């Protein structure tokens, strides 16, 4: 009898079906966009990540660096009137207008009086004069425009190039989001290409190790990077301005500009460009109501002027032109105007929450005879405690109180995002997460650029080849067009790139060989 031996053979891994031509073409198109976008914006993203990681430590750094002028050796038992302290500060630079005043939050802190500086623009600083509140004597002064952190912020926000630099930063930020989207697609598409059940090969080559590090950094920190970019865009010139207009149009700003049909009505965001003394982002498009400077309000009442100044102007201003038109220099109190301490006292009952240990109060002085005192509460952590108040400079009446309760959903989301972006919402944990996002960007830029440098052929850019399937290319371009509509400056650069590719690169053989 013959026995039949049956042997069980190991089942070989079933390979995944090869990608369809359209999928391969789509992958190539996305890779090409990812490659060139990364190559062009990498330098800007690297600068933004480095300066951003440094600026996260602004508050502790400046507390340490300027402790000699910000902290008193002996706490002040009683404080002199703010108007007297302002007078002392102006003696340092006679004739220089006062922009804002930041009263001390504790008896061992000095009063900060910010005088107008030479700089203008979105990050314009001033001259900070620090005064002992107990003696009204000047402790020291600092040119804020020359500080280390001011330089870091200006590089981070505008690359030291004004409006043009701001636009470049915005373009790079928008393209960072496109890089994140295309990079995610490439990673997912690469996973699908692998053979199911095949053993994982040990990474040996230098470029493969760089690629693994690049992918790991992108997947591990990509979500936080996207949040970091999105939360920073409200500060940008084009996208941020558009978002503020949407905020105002959807009722996130109250009262709205419709309540003030006069288009010359100033906005709260125009009152100060100093990053340390300005209104919250959500209040920047809040119209500024005028003070009532009618004769009944101002006639014969000079008791509110700064002590020792009989002309109605603060000491140091000898022009005597108390009735200059709206837009006159800050720090010039009008006849009958309340001194700073009275205006602040009048606004105190309307301030909802601002504990001294967690919040600063900042006072922006009136601008001209119709100007108002603008009082801003600046919480160190929770933006829900922020509030912007406009106070009539003559009567002390609170004309506008605008805070969390008045913010719309969009304004609240942006303010929370700004606090998280700056690393101050949840203390050290928040700061470390944002620092990790900056380090992730640095890792992605360095590894991506290094991979390109190692793989590029001699005399060529080493870009992925163009797709030959026009329908696939058009489909990817349609998706890119949607992203271009969401981020206008990125959309403009897309059009420029396509025109250059079509009109120049493809028509000049030498360039076609270099750029693929």
């Amino acid at each position: 009898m013959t026995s039949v031996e049956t042997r069980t053979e190991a089942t070989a891994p079933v390979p995944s079906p090869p990608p369809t031509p359209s999928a391969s073409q789509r992958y190539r198109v996305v890779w090409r966009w990812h490659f060139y976008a990364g190559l062009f914006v990498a330098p800007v993203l690297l600068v933004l990540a480095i300066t951003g990681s440094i600026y996260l430590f602004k508050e502790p750094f400046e507390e340490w660096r300027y402790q000699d002028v910000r902290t008193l050796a002996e706490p002040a038992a009683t404080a002199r009137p703010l108007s007297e302290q302002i007078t002392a500060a102006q003696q340092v630079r006679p004739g220089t207008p006062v922009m804002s005043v930041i009263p001390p939050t504790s008896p061992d802190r000095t009063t900060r009086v910010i005088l107008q500086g030479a700089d203008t623009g979105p990050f314009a600083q001033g001259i900070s004069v620090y005064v002992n509140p107990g003696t009204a004597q000047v402790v020291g002064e600092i040119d804020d425009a020359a500080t280390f952190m001011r330089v870091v912020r200006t590089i981070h926000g505008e690359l030291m190039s004004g409006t043009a630099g701001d636009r470049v930063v915005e373009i790079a930020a928008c393209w960072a989001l496109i890089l994140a989207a295309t990079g995610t697609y490439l990673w997912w598409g690469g996973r699908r290409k692998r053979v199911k059940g095949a053993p994982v090969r040990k990474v040996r080559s230098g470029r493969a190790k760089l690629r693994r590090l690049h992918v790991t950094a992108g997947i591990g920190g990509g979500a936080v990077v996207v949040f970091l970019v999105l939360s920073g865009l409200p500060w940008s010139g084009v996208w941020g301005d558009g978002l503020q207009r949407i905020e105002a149009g959807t009722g996130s700003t109250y009262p709205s500009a419709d309540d003030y049909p006069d288009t010359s009505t100033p906005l709260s965001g125009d009152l100060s460009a100093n990053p340390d003394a300005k209104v919250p982002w959500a209040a920047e498009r809040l119209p500024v109501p005028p003070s009532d400077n009618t004769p009944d309000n101002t006639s014969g009442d000079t008791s509110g002027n700064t002590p020792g100044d009989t002309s109605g102007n603060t000491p140091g201003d000898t022009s005597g032109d108390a009735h200059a038109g709206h837009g006159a220099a800050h720090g010039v109190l009008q006849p009958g105007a309340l001194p700073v301490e009275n205006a602040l006292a009048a606004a105190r009952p309307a301030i909802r929450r601002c504990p001294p240990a967690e919040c600063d109060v900042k006072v922006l002085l009136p601008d001209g005879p119709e100007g108002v005192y603008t009082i801003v509460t600046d919480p160190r952590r929770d933006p829900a405690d922020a509030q912007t108040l406009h106070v009539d400079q003559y009567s002390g009446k609170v004309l506008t109180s605008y805070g969390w309760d008045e913010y719309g959903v969009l304004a609240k989301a942006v303010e929370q995002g700004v606090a998280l972006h700056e690393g101050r919402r949840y203390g050290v944990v928040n700061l470390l997460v944002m620092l990790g996002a900056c380090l992730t960007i640095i890792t992605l830029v360095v590894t991506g650029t290094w991979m390109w440098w190692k793989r590029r052929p001699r005399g060529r850019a080493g870009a992925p080849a163009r797709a030959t399937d026009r329908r696939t290319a058009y489909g990817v371009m349609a998706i890119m067009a949607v992203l271009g509509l969401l981020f206008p400056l990125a959309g403009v650069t897309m059009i420029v790139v396509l025109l250059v590719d079509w009109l120049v690169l493809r028509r000049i053989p030498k360039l076609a060989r270099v750029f693929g």
Side-chain angles (χ1 to χ4, degrees), residues 66-400:
Y66 306 119
Q67 58 182 330
D68 57 330
V69 295
R70 292 188 175 186
T71 307
L72 298 172
E74 296 183 3
T78 57
R80 305 295 300 169
L82 283 174
S83 54
E84 187 175 336
Q85 298 180 52
I86 293 173
T87 301
Q90 283 192 299
Q91 299 306 316
V92 176
R93 294 176 178 265
T96 304
V98 179
M99 304 303 293
S100 54
V101 182
I102 305 178
T105 55
S106 62
D108 63 341
R109 305 282 292 182
T110 56
T111 300
R112 182 179 177 185
V113 180
I114 302 178
L115 307 180
Q116 182 172 306
D119 288 352
T120 59
F123 304 112
Q125 301 277 4
I127 307 296
S128 288
V129 181
Y130 294 87
V131 182
N132 186 326
T135 62
Q137 293 181 343
V138 174
V139 176
E141 64 173 301
I142 294 174
D143 183 357
D144 295 328
T147 63
F148 172 70
M149 283 298 177
R150 192 270 186 179
V151 174
V152 171
R153 182 185 177 100
T154 307
I155 296 174
H156 186 76
E158 57 182 38
L159 303 177
M160 304 283 290
S161 302
T163 301
D166 173 82
R167 302 299 185 263
V168 172
V169 168
E170 182 175 345
I171 290 172
C174 294
W175 273 103
L177 298 176
I178 296 174
L179 279 170
T182 54
T184 302
Y185 176 86
L186 294 174
W187 167 73
W188 186 256
R191 288 186 62 197
R192 295 180 63 184
K193 283 183 177 181
R194 298 193 192 102
V195 177
K196 294 182 180 179
V200 179
R201 291 179 299 175
K202 187 176 181 179
V203 176
R204 296 183 182 276
S205 68
R207 192 164 68 86
K209 291 179 180 179
L210 285 174
R211 185 180 184 279
R212 174 162 291 185
L213 179 58
H214 187 83
V215 170
T216 302
I219 299 304
V224 183
V225 169
V226 169
F227 171 81
L228 188 68
V229 174
L230 286 174
S231 58
L233 277 174
W235 282 303
S236 62
V238 175
W239 197 88
D241 183 69
L243 185 64
Q244 284 187 327
R245 293 181 183 278
I246 293 174
E247 176 206 10
T250 55
S252 285
T253 300
Y254 177 84
S256 69
D258 294 337
D259 298 325
Y260 298 91
D262 185 2
T263 56
S264 64
T265 300
L267 302 179
S268 296
D270 299 330
L271 298 176
S272 173
N274 191 313
D276 292 339
K278 62 181 302 185
V279 301
W281 181 92
E284 287 185 351
R285 296 192 65 83
L286 181 71
V288 180
S291 288
D292 183 8
N293 63 337
T294 58
D296 290 342
N297 235 358
T298 61
S299 59
D301 181 11
T302 58
S303 60
N305 294 331
T306 304
D309 178 41
T310 57
S311 66
N313 298 333
T314 49
D317 177 62
T318 57
S319 65
D321 186 10
H323 293 284
H326 189 85
H330 287 260
V332 180
L333 298 184
Q334 310 302 314
L338 296 172
V340 179
E341 59 269 13
N342 289 21
L344 183 56
R348 286 282 185 189
I351 295 178
R352 296 162 190 164
R353 187 177 184 274
C354 187
E358 303 175 8
C359 180
D360 292 320
V361 176
K362 304 175 180 182
V363 184
L364 280 62
L365 271 65
D367 184 7
E370 294 185 355
V372 295
Y373 281 106
T374 300
I375 297 172
V376 180
T377 62
D378 184 15
R380 295 185 181 90
R381 289 197 177 185
D382 191 356
D385 295 337
Q387 192 175 352
T388 303
L389 303 101
H390 294 309
V391 179
D392 190 299
Q393 65 172 307
Y394 306 105
S395 67
K397 178 182 177 182
V398 177
L399 303 174
T400 302

Side-chain angles (χ1 to χ4, degrees), residues 37-61:
L39 197 61
F40 292 148
V41 305
V44 180
L45 291 180
L46 186 62
V47 170
L48 294 181
I50 293 174
T51 54
S53 61
I54 296 173
Y55 200 76
L56 285 170
F57 298 92
K58 174 183 183 293
E59 185 175 338
F61 172 81

